[in-house]
Amino acid sequence: MYKINENYLKLPGSYLFATTGRKIREFAEANPDKKVISLGIGDVTLPLAPVVIDTLHSAVDEMGKAETFKGYAPDLGYEFLRQAIADNDYKARGADISIDEIFISDGAKSDSGNIGDIFDRDNKIAVCDPVYPVYVDTNAMAGRTGVYLEEQQKWSNVVYMPCTAENGFAPEIPEEEPDIIYLCFPNNPTGSTIKKKELQAWVDHALKTGAVIIYDAAYEAYISEEDVPHTIYECQGAKACAIELKSFSKNAGFTGTRLGYAVVPKELKCNGVSLNSLWARRHGTKFNGAPYIIQKAGAAVYTPEGREQTMNQVNYYMENARIIREGLREAGYTVSGGVNAPYIWLQTPDKMTSWEFFDHLLEKANVAGTPGSGFGPSGEGYFRLTAFGSYENTLEAVERIRKM
């Protein structure tokens, strides 16, 4: 008789955003006369940039002609896209990343979950707390996290690195030495960042202890402050200890078209074994490539028109972030984030739990966000709002919250 992967049975409840989505739907069905404004999940609302749309149309036309038709994509992705990434995201920032170190995928979420395939089950992971749930949940599915301790809302074999108001919502290097360290900057959910000197300390620690850093830079395009690194490869030695994950979802609005990439440097080795070759083997075996038309659209993002148009979208969302941040502060809330990231992290009022505030906000203001406890134990007492709504809805949501 067949057996299931019993690690799935250890997972507590459903995926965070499935739970919030269900509660919002139930409220809307019970209150059809009320307009719910969602500032919960990090999904964009602006349409794709004009140059991206034009490129998609052109690429579709290519697929209709025998002489320009494309079938399976190359394992690593089309060279025209990988070269654009290498030139614009890395060489332009002084990082020497070659195109055979870039692996095109259907998004950073997929890569975040799949990267664990090339690591032994016995590795111990370290995560920021609060944290993007995919990092922990996928390691739990792989049997790497131990037992879930419900009262503590923690896994027994995970190193949690608290990100609190006291440390500026940025993790400190843990006393325990993990094997795999997950870092996300600008951070989801807190919106925090660290300076290059601070990131260099993490790289130095990983090199010293033999750890590998999985660096999620999905929100890099939102960085506005000086000396905040846009890639971990700005740090000396990072190519020997870090894998970087990037996405087109938030910088160019590809949440519905799906495109991302992972960088696995050839210098990154474990006991002489190249992680680049391992990921290439995994990638070629389990993934058939992002569609040609989507990769062409991704390359258009790096054209002068694409860079201007997508940056206009980033600025639009960051104006929403400013409105939320300043509006909540004026209303007496304690808030952070919203400067280098499209997330606002606020402390719940009146000692409410995160889920109590979720229900309170939904019922009293008809505004939806995300409970901080869903991101980890240190998220209790906090709440995340996103700036990805429309400008009009953002203004209305803030005004509703102010009137509560």
Side-chain angles (χ1 to χ4, degrees), residues 276-344:
N276 179 282
S277 64
L278 292 182
W279 186 241
R281 186 69 170 87
R282 190 268 171 208
H283 206 62
T285 301
K286 288 191 174 184
F287 184 61
N288 248 356
Y292 170 73
I293 60 173
I294 304 301
Q295 294 196 46
K296 285 286 285 187
V301 171
Y302 294 102
T303 64
E305 299 88 349
R307 295 178 73 87
E308 179 182 3
Q309 292 169 12
T310 55
M311 185 50 63
N312 287 339
Q313 294 181 340
V314 167
N315 292 337
Y316 176 96
Y317 292 130
M318 289 309 294
E319 173 61 12
N320 286 350
R322 184 195 64 79
I323 290 169
I324 298 171
R325 186 181 69 253
E326 294 184 1
L328 293 184
R329 281 180 176 166
E330 291 172 2
Y333 289 87
T334 301
V335 301
S336 61
V339 176
N340 295 295
Y343 294 120
I344 289 79

